[in-house]
Amino acid sequence: TLPTLSMEHRRVQAPDLLDKAIKVAEAIKDNRALAYANGYKAQLYEQENRFQEAVWLTQKALSYAHNPNTVEINQNAISNENCVPNTQSQNCLIETGFRSDPKLLYSLEWQLGRFLKQTKQAQRQVIIDTYLRAKQQLSFVREKFRCGGGSHFLAEAEKFSGELTELFLRQAAQAPVAQKQDILRKAIDSIEFLKETELQNYFHDVCVTKVKDKLKWQEKSIPYNTAIFYPVILDDCLEDCLELLVIFPDKSIKQFE
C-alpha cells in the first residue's frame, strides 16, 4: 500500500503540504504526483471517518495514475455500481497498466476497495471487482520487480490476499447453491496466488510457478479417500475467526465455518 503517514504529520503538517503538492503538480501537469498526493489525502479523510470523500479522492488519484491527461470524476457517482476510476473498459485498464506504475495502481485499487467497504454502501461485487483489479496490478508488480520486495512486500501481499479471500467467502456464504462452487474456487485461487507470490519472492524468479499455468489445481486428479484442506484465518471478525475449505476427489468444495 501507499506508505502510511504518521499520526503527527496527519494532524499538523499533512493537509497543508498535500494541498500545496497538488497545486504544484497541477501547475506542471505531473499526473503521477497528483495520483500520489490525492491518494495520501484520501488517507487523511479515512482517519476522520470521511469514507465517501476518501473514495472519491482515491478514484481521482486512479484517474491520474491511469491517464496521461486530467480526468474529472463526479462525486455523486461514488456509490454507483458502474462507477470506475475512468471511462475506459476493463481491457483498456489492463493495457494501460503496462505503461503506468503497477505498484501505484495496485496500491490505489486496494485502497479504494478498503474504503468502499467502509462506506457500507457499495455492493460486494463492486468491492470484489476493485480488489481483482488490484490483484491484476500486483501480478505486474511481481513480474516487473522479480518479487524481490522482501518481507514488507510479502506482508502486504498476505494481507491483500487475505482480504480478497474473505470477500469471496462472505459472498459464497450468501450465494445460491448453483453459484457457490464457482465463488469458492475463486477463494482458493486467491490463496494459491499468495503461495505463488511467496515462492516467486523467495527464488526471485517469476518462472518458478509458470508450470501452474499448464496444470491448474482444478485439473489435477485427487486420489480416492484424499482431500485438500485450505484453512483461512479471518481478520474481520470478533470470534470464530477460522474457516476451512476442503476439496474432495470429485472436485467439489465445501466451506466449514
Side-chain angles (χ1 to χ4, degrees), residues 150-207:
S151 58
H152 178 71
F153 175 83
L154 281 179
E156 280 194 355
E158 182 176 0
K159 183 174 177 58
F160 168 77
S161 297
E163 291 175 6
L164 178 57
T165 301
E166 185 167 348
L167 283 169
F168 281 129
L169 292 178
R170 294 287 178 254
Q171 186 181 45
Q174 300 176 7
V177 176
Q179 300 176 12
K180 189 180 292 289
Q181 289 294 300
D182 182 58
I183 297 172
L184 291 177
R185 288 188 182 93
K186 292 177 180 178
I188 291 176
D189 284 342
S190 179
I191 299 171
E192 293 284 2
F193 179 81
L194 173 61
K195 299 305 178 185
E196 292 172 28
T197 302
E198 291 173 344
L199 283 173
Q200 292 176 358
N201 189 78
Y202 179 79
F203 288 103
H204 290 198
D205 187 354
V206 296
C207 297

Side-chain angles (χ1 to χ4, degrees), residues 68-81:
N69 299 315
T70 301
V71 175
E72 296 293 333
I73 289 186
N74 185 352
Q75 290 193 53
N76 296 327
I78 61 172
S79 61
N80 189 319
E81 65 175 304

Side-chain angles (χ1 to χ4, degrees), residues 52-53 55-61 63 71-80 82-87:
Q52 291 188 340
E53 291 163 288
V55 166
W56 174 70
L57 276 176
T58 306
Q59 288 176 323
K60 190 173 183 179
S63 295
V71 175
E72 296 293 333
I73 289 186
N74 185 352
Q75 290 193 53
N76 296 327
I78 61 172
S79 61
N80 189 319
N82 295 319
C83 181
V84 295
N86 57 40
T87 58

Side-chain angles (χ1 to χ4, degrees), residues 28-96:
I28 64 176
K29 298 182 179 180
D30 185 341
N31 281 4
R32 188 170 186 270
L34 284 167
Y36 273 105
N38 281 282
Y40 282 130
K41 193 172 181 179
Q43 291 181 10
L44 300 182
Y45 285 155
E46 176 197 16
Q47 294 301 313
E48 299 173 2
N49 294 325
R50 297 162 64 181
F51 296 114
Q52 291 188 340
E53 291 163 288
V55 166
W56 174 70
L57 276 176
T58 306
Q59 288 176 323
K60 190 173 183 179
L62 277 162
S63 295
Y64 287 122
H66 273 298
N67 297 289
N69 299 315
T70 301
V71 175
E72 296 293 333
I73 289 186
N74 185 352
Q75 290 193 53
N76 296 327
I78 61 172
S79 61
N80 189 319
E81 65 175 304
N82 295 319
C83 181
V84 295
N86 57 40
T87 58
Q88 296 174 310
S89 68
Q90 180 69 23
N91 289 334
C92 289
L93 286 174
I94 294 174
E95 290 175 1
T96 58

